[in-house]
Amino acid sequence: MQKIKLIKMEPSKLSNEITEFGPIECMECEFDGVIPLEYFLVSPDIETDKEYNELRKLVKSELGYDSFTETGHEDGLLISVCRCPKCCSEEIFQDF
């Protein structure tokens, strides 16, 4: 198994289809202002449950997040992470 890497992606380099889906409101404190969102390309592709579990550990250890959202990208799996700037919850409602 190759070592999984997270490559930060700038939103301006992503299609509108990807960036239009984003954080709307914190489900803990109902904050509905700007919630920062970061994107990362996962390399290599995740193909097994074991690799997915390694990805979860990597996101926790390198980025400090317990959760992430996933989407397909022309270069592979793209994940995004966000946290409420008011209460630090990761329970964020996301939509278009």
Side-chain angles (χ1 to χ4, degrees):
M1 177 171 91
Q2 292 182 21
K3 181 177 171 152
I4 298 171
K5 294 182 280 186
L6 300 174
I7 303 158
K8 186 163 180 149
M9 301 288 288
E10 292 301 322
S12 62
K13 306 273 187 201
L14 302 172
S15 72
N16 287 345
E17 292 174 352
I18 291 174
T19 58
E20 286 176 356
F21 184 82
I24 303 295
E25 181 177 14
C26 177
M27 295 169 60
E28 294 290 325
C29 73
E30 299 180 358
F31 177 80
D32 64 356
V34 175
I35 300 173
L37 181 68
E38 294 182 286
Y39 298 95
F40 297 88
L41 183 64
V42 178
S43 177
D45 277 339
I46 302 299
E47 297 178 357
T48 66
D49 287 342
K50 182 178 179 182
E51 291 171 338
Y52 187 81
N53 288 334
E54 287 300 314
L55 172 61
R56 291 179 55 84
K57 289 178 189 175
L58 185 64
V59 168
K60 177 66 174 174
S61 67
E62 283 195 13
L63 306 177
Y65 288 86
D66 291 316
S67 62
F68 54 88
T69 57
E70 308 168 37
T71 190
H73 183 265
E74 61 192 31
D75 294 326
L77 177 65
L78 186 72
I79 65 167
S80 61
V81 293
C82 62
R83 180 178 286 130
C84 177
K86 183 176 178 185
C87 74
C88 296
S89 172
E90 293 180 33
E91 297 296 320
I92 307 295
F93 176 70
Q94 296 189 51
D95 204 350
F96 291 95

